[in-house]
Amino acid sequence: MLKDKIILSYTGFENNHSTEIDTEFHAKRVRAMQQFEKVGFPTKEIEEWKYTSLKNLLKTDFTLLTASESDIDTKKVKPFLLKGIESYKLVFLDGVFQPQVSVTSHEGLDICILSSAISKPKYNIVLNHYFNTIASQKDGLTSLNTAFTQEGVFIHIPKSVVVDRPIEILYLTSGSEKEVLVQPRNLVIVDENAYVQIVERHQSLTSQKVFTNSVTELFAHKRAIVEWYKVQNDNLQASMIDSTYISQKEQSVVSMFTFSFGGDLVRNNLHVYHEGEHITSNLNGISMLHGTQHVDHQTNIYHQQPHCESHELYKGIFDEQSTGVFNGKVIVSKEAQKTDAYQQNDNILLTDDATINAKPQLEIFADDVKCSHGCTVGQLDKNALFYMRQRGIPAKEAKALLLYAFTDQVVNRIKIPALKIWITDTISKKLGVELEIEV
Amino acid sequence: MKKYTENELEQDLKTKEYEYGFYTDIEADKFPPGLNEAVVIAISKKKNEPQWMTDWRLEAYRIWEKMTEPDWANVHYVKPRFNEISYYSAPKKKPELESLDQVDPELLKTFAKLGISMDEQKRLSGVAMDIVIDSVSVATTFKKTLEERGIIFCPISEAIQKYPDLVKKYMGSVVPKTDNFYAALNSAVFSDGSFCYIPKGVRSPVELSTYFRINEGGTGQFERTLLIADEDSYVSYLEGCTAPQRDENQLHAAVVELIALDGAEIKYSTVQNWFPGDAEGKGGVYNFVTKRAIAHHNAKISWTQVETGSAITWKYPSCILKGDNSIGEFYSIAVTNHFQQADTGTKMIHLGNNTKSTIISKGISAGKSQNSYRGLVRVGKNAQNARNFSQCDSLLMGNQCGAHTFPYIETKNASAQVEHEATTSKIGEDQLFYCNQRGIDTEKAIALIVNGFSKEVLNKLPMEFAVEAQKLLEISLEGSVG
């Protein structure tokens, strides 16, 4: 079994990292491993995993990725990066940082990698203060990631710094000959009044199965503004579980975007903790699936302070035998008066073999709040289709136009023009038409 | 105008005791507490049941023994000790009566206290009542009117004797013995309940009605209702429940099965006002009910419920829309106050083509209560053109209570159209101010606003019930200002 294999390989991993044995960091790792041993992988019996089964995925004999020496050239990386704009770049191949294709910075801010932060004593305080503080201590998959924390992104934007260009994070897997399990770990701290845009992407370059178990911790301090775009357009052999934990302080604004186009099984866990007043959280998502793809969006927003807002907008288009899951949870504790929480989840099923399971959930303990959610499942408007065909637009294009319009509400919220173009292109490619849409 | 302060309101709320908490002193024939196969056989014997029924019960008991109590619901309570419950209790003097005059005067007084004068009900509203006190049917009226039209409306124990074929065919067909822990328990030990059969093409001239009461202390009440509407028939069925005030928690695990054959329509309305426990959260009824209906071609099922009582409510009246063009409706108001906890909602299973369902759920929580809506809308792969609309609104009063929504939507067909929306809010200060300004005091204004909030559901209730339900809402919420 995969679980036993992982537990066994932990000893080997420990030996490689014996230098840090006395650190607090190491202690966190050991605790996480104990937790994983206890709970293991989630099963369908757990309410949050009711509609997503890892059973088939876990049957594969994954090998924990060991650092390889291979490096990659610019040419191969280019298709996965934004075109025509300047950006900071953090590129990893099989868990190893690729400096030759990356653009990092230590000038007034830290855009670098976690392994160097772990090894440098000057970052110790920061690491101990932030690392693994908001990530779940109970969840099996997150604990597994924590136990094997080795490499990932470390970004620290100091007070009042506005990052002049987006930061692109790219995880590539070439995975020699074997099926591999990759576990990137990201830590991002955005201080007071700072502003940053991040684009994150995971890409498999192999035809072997790849299982990514990624964990991110994001801290947005007072009045910080963070935009985070997760682009998931991997090949159909790649599966990913992405857990993102976000802590927001007062008046901060965090906007998360999740674009799920590719991948075999994709699961997105978003946890947003409000730790101050007047916070705004925006969660947006587009899922466009075909084949037997399965995408599961889990959003958890914990409203713990008064006067906070959260807005969720998730759109899903499901073709062929694909399955979509949306489980949005909004928890308003009794201190969180004047909360304004809105959640919208719209879905279109294109075939009778596609499935959508939605569960928009509200748990409210405060009385003076405005909380609502809406969830729809429907199909294209026949009258609109007829109207367009009447005017000479072929059925395929007419359908594509309507579907594009359906996603437009989310696309329009993208603040990076280059990314907007890329997303529009991807959507039209997925729809099988050329849409000349001005961005 | 004297200003009604929040403190006063709170005080009022605390002292507001259960109005129907009294205890009728009728000698009861009661089994010693505990449950085993012998008890199941004894219950069956007591009721003179045929062998097949006894076997059915025993099978259910064996299934139940292997099951564990479900704990997924959003409610917290001390689990009932099933060995300390007496599984059978019947008023000793079982009168077989034709008219009300022969009914034990004690019983009549009970009903008078409940505010339902039977004579009045009989005369004014034309409701035929099959009154159930502690599981045995005591009086049945209007039987003759119903008999003329071929409608069978009798205690289920009688139906087992008289109409075994119907019972055999349909009992357990919608809620199987294996369905869940409480349904299995009920199947094993059900004491009595109502049986109703509407023949082909018959429209029931009166609204059928049953009053349930949990009376004897420490007696679990296990009702079983079976309602069959044959092709193209129509029936409206009312069920009202209140239980006297007792300190220990009382368990109620009922099973209701509705069968609407082709073209039939069933309207099932419930007003539930069981003892919710006192202001400290002591006592109260545990209400774990399984209600389910199956709708064949062109049939229509409509559930309406007003839930104001019970310490714990765990109830999901469901519709299986099996036939083409069948319709399922669910209208619910759930009010929780003090320490009440309610986890209620519905399931709409779309299997046939062109099926439609509507869900309107209104939750009102006050005091320290928790109110959850849990619903499932499932559209099967072969259900073309299914249509669902769901709306769940919650109203919160005070910041010690909670309102939760757990809607599950599972769609496997591209032609389905499913809409769900939910809102949570409190009573607007401007609304209250507007009322105050026009000389309506806060208390009355709240009643007014809550009534407006619940109107969509109240409108669905039959006349006789609507008045009572409105009154209940006012009583349950008196003095809760948000």
Side-chain angles (χ1 to χ4, degrees), chain B residues 165-177:
Chain B
D165 294 345
L166 279 174
V167 176
K168 251 191 224 173
K169 186 170 172 195
Y170 290 109
M171 183 134 79
S173 69
V174 189
V175 180
K177 292 182 283 258

PDB file of all heavy atoms in Angstrom, chain B residues 165-177:
ATOM      1  N   ASP B 165     -53.786  -7.843   2.454  1.00  0.00           N
ATOM      2  CA  ASP B 165     -53.150  -7.801   1.139  1.00  0.00           C
ATOM      3  C   ASP B 165     -52.535  -6.433   0.853  1.00  0.00           C
ATOM      4  O   ASP B 165     -51.405  -6.328   0.387  1.00  0.00           O
ATOM      5  CB  ASP B 165     -54.172  -8.136   0.042  1.00  0.00           C
ATOM      6  CG  ASP B 165     -54.626  -9.581   0.173  1.00  0.00           C
ATOM      7  OD1 ASP B 165     -53.934 -10.328   0.898  1.00  0.00           O
ATOM      8  OD2 ASP B 165     -55.662  -9.938  -0.418  1.00  0.00           O
ATOM      9  N   LEU B 166     -53.334  -5.391   1.144  1.00  0.00           N
ATOM     10  CA  LEU B 166     -52.844  -4.033   0.912  1.00  0.00           C
ATOM     11  C   LEU B 166     -51.624  -3.739   1.784  1.00  0.00           C
ATOM     12  O   LEU B 166     -50.627  -3.189   1.327  1.00  0.00           O
ATOM     13  CB  LEU B 166     -53.940  -3.008   1.224  1.00  0.00           C
ATOM     14  CG  LEU B 166     -54.988  -2.769   0.138  1.00  0.00           C
ATOM     15  CD1 LEU B 166     -56.076  -1.857   0.665  1.00  0.00           C
ATOM     16  CD2 LEU B 166     -54.350  -2.167  -1.098  1.00  0.00           C
ATOM     17  N   VAL B 167     -51.734  -4.113   3.038  1.00  0.00           N
ATOM     18  CA  VAL B 167     -50.636  -3.836   3.966  1.00  0.00           C
ATOM     19  C   VAL B 167     -49.384  -4.579   3.531  1.00  0.00           C
ATOM     20  O   VAL B 167     -48.289  -4.021   3.477  1.00  0.00           O
ATOM     21  CB  VAL B 167     -51.037  -4.202   5.404  1.00  0.00           C
ATOM     22  CG1 VAL B 167     -49.861  -4.005   6.351  1.00  0.00           C
ATOM     23  CG2 VAL B 167     -52.225  -3.379   5.862  1.00  0.00           C
ATOM     24  N   LYS B 168     -49.575  -5.867   3.191  1.00  0.00           N
ATOM     25  CA  LYS B 168     -48.435  -6.692   2.781  1.00  0.00           C
ATOM     26  C   LYS B 168     -47.743  -6.095   1.564  1.00  0.00           C
ATOM     27  O   LYS B 168     -46.524  -6.077   1.467  1.00  0.00           O
ATOM     28  CB  LYS B 168     -48.932  -8.088   2.420  1.00  0.00           C
ATOM     29  CG  LYS B 168     -48.521  -9.157   3.433  1.00  0.00           C
ATOM     30  CD  LYS B 168     -48.813 -10.517   2.841  1.00  0.00           C
ATOM     31  CE  LYS B 168     -49.468 -11.418   3.859  1.00  0.00           C
ATOM     32  NZ  LYS B 168     -49.918 -12.692   3.326  1.00  0.00           N
ATOM     33  N   LYS B 169     -48.567  -5.614   0.643  1.00  0.00           N
ATOM     34  CA  LYS B 169     -48.025  -5.118  -0.623  1.00  0.00           C
ATOM     35  C   LYS B 169     -47.241  -3.816  -0.428  1.00  0.00           C
ATOM     36  O   LYS B 169     -46.196  -3.615  -1.039  1.00  0.00           O
ATOM     37  CB  LYS B 169     -49.168  -4.898  -1.612  1.00  0.00           C
ATOM     38  CG  LYS B 169     -48.676  -4.513  -2.992  1.00  0.00           C
ATOM     39  CD  LYS B 169     -49.787  -4.538  -4.029  1.00  0.00           C
ATOM     40  CE  LYS B 169     -49.293  -3.967  -5.351  1.00  0.00           C
ATOM     41  NZ  LYS B 169     -50.406  -3.642  -6.243  1.00  0.00           N
ATOM     42  N   TYR B 170     -47.770  -2.944   0.408  1.00  0.00           N
ATOM     43  CA  TYR B 170     -47.177  -1.608   0.445  1.00  0.00           C
ATOM     44  C   TYR B 170     -46.320  -1.304   1.662  1.00  0.00           C
ATOM     45  O   TYR B 170     -45.459  -0.447   1.596  1.00  0.00           O
ATOM     46  CB  TYR B 170     -48.283  -0.554   0.327  1.00  0.00           C
ATOM     47  CG  TYR B 170     -48.908  -0.522  -1.050  1.00  0.00           C
ATOM     48  CD1 TYR B 170     -50.198  -0.978  -1.261  1.00  0.00           C
ATOM     49  CD2 TYR B 170     -48.180  -0.050  -2.133  1.00  0.00           C
ATOM     50  CE1 TYR B 170     -50.762  -0.960  -2.536  1.00  0.00           C
ATOM     51  CE2 TYR B 170     -48.733  -0.026  -3.397  1.00  0.00           C
ATOM     52  CZ  TYR B 170     -50.030  -0.478  -3.596  1.00  0.00           C
ATOM     53  OH  TYR B 170     -50.568  -0.453  -4.848  1.00  0.00           O
ATOM     54  N   MET B 171     -46.552  -1.964   2.767  1.00  0.00           N
ATOM     55  CA  MET B 171     -45.780  -1.625   3.964  1.00  0.00           C
ATOM     56  C   MET B 171     -44.307  -1.951   3.724  1.00  0.00           C
ATOM     57  O   MET B 171     -43.962  -3.059   3.314  1.00  0.00           O
ATOM     58  CB  MET B 171     -46.288  -2.381   5.179  1.00  0.00           C
ATOM     59  CG  MET B 171     -45.520  -1.956   6.394  1.00  0.00           C
ATOM     60  SD  MET B 171     -46.506  -1.602   7.823  1.00  0.00           S
ATOM     61  CE  MET B 171     -46.915  -3.098   8.514  1.00  0.00           C
ATOM     62  N   GLY B 172     -43.463  -0.983   3.947  1.00  0.00           N
ATOM     63  CA  GLY B 172     -42.030  -1.186   3.748  1.00  0.00           C
ATOM     64  C   GLY B 172     -41.604  -1.024   2.304  1.00  0.00           C
ATOM     65  O   GLY B 172     -40.436  -1.192   1.977  1.00  0.00           O
ATOM     66  N   SER B 173     -42.527  -0.683   1.418  1.00  0.00           N
ATOM     67  CA  SER B 173     -42.140  -0.554   0.009  1.00  0.00           C
ATOM     68  C   SER B 173     -41.478   0.797  -0.262  1.00  0.00           C
ATOM     69  O   SER B 173     -40.685   0.938  -1.178  1.00  0.00           O
ATOM     70  CB  SER B 173     -43.352  -0.740  -0.898  1.00  0.00           C
ATOM     71  OG  SER B 173     -44.244   0.352  -0.747  1.00  0.00           O
ATOM     72  N   VAL B 174     -41.795   1.779   0.540  1.00  0.00           N
ATOM     73  CA  VAL B 174     -41.179   3.098   0.345  1.00  0.00           C
ATOM     74  C   VAL B 174     -40.053   3.320   1.362  1.00  0.00           C
ATOM     75  O   VAL B 174     -38.994   3.830   1.040  1.00  0.00           O
ATOM     76  CB  VAL B 174     -42.229   4.234   0.476  1.00  0.00           C
ATOM     77  CG1 VAL B 174     -41.633   5.551   0.049  1.00  0.00           C
ATOM     78  CG2 VAL B 174     -43.452   3.920  -0.353  1.00  0.00           C
ATOM     79  N   VAL B 175     -40.315   2.919   2.589  1.00  0.00           N
ATOM     80  CA  VAL B 175     -39.270   2.971   3.616  1.00  0.00           C
ATOM     81  C   VAL B 175     -38.962   1.528   4.018  1.00  0.00           C
ATOM     82  O   VAL B 175     -39.660   0.958   4.843  1.00  0.00           O
ATOM     83  CB  VAL B 175     -39.727   3.782   4.852  1.00  0.00           C
ATOM     84  CG1 VAL B 175     -38.617   3.826   5.898  1.00  0.00           C
ATOM     85  CG2 VAL B 175     -40.138   5.182   4.465  1.00  0.00           C
ATOM     86  N   PRO B 176     -37.972   0.922   3.423  1.00  0.00           N
ATOM     87  CA  PRO B 176     -37.680  -0.470   3.766  1.00  0.00           C
ATOM     88  C   PRO B 176     -37.162  -0.594   5.194  1.00  0.00           C
ATOM     89  O   PRO B 176     -36.703   0.387   5.783  1.00  0.00           O
ATOM     90  CB  PRO B 176     -36.609  -0.879   2.750  1.00  0.00           C
ATOM     91  CG  PRO B 176     -36.136   0.364   2.119  1.00  0.00           C
ATOM     92  CD  PRO B 176     -37.093   1.461   2.396  1.00  0.00           C
ATOM     93  N   LYS B 177     -37.263  -1.784   5.712  1.00  0.00           N
ATOM     94  CA  LYS B 177     -36.804  -2.031   7.089  1.00  0.00           C
ATOM     95  C   LYS B 177     -35.343  -1.652   7.255  1.00  0.00           C
ATOM     96  O   LYS B 177     -34.905  -1.251   8.317  1.00  0.00           O
ATOM     97  CB  LYS B 177     -36.949  -3.517   7.423  1.00  0.00           C
ATOM     98  CG  LYS B 177     -38.387  -3.972   7.510  1.00  0.00           C
ATOM     99  CD  LYS B 177     -38.442  -5.440   7.882  1.00  0.00           C
ATOM    100  CE  LYS B 177     -38.125  -6.328   6.720  1.00  0.00           C
ATOM    101  NZ  LYS B 177     -39.250  -6.954   6.063  1.00  0.00           N
TER     102      LYS B 177
END
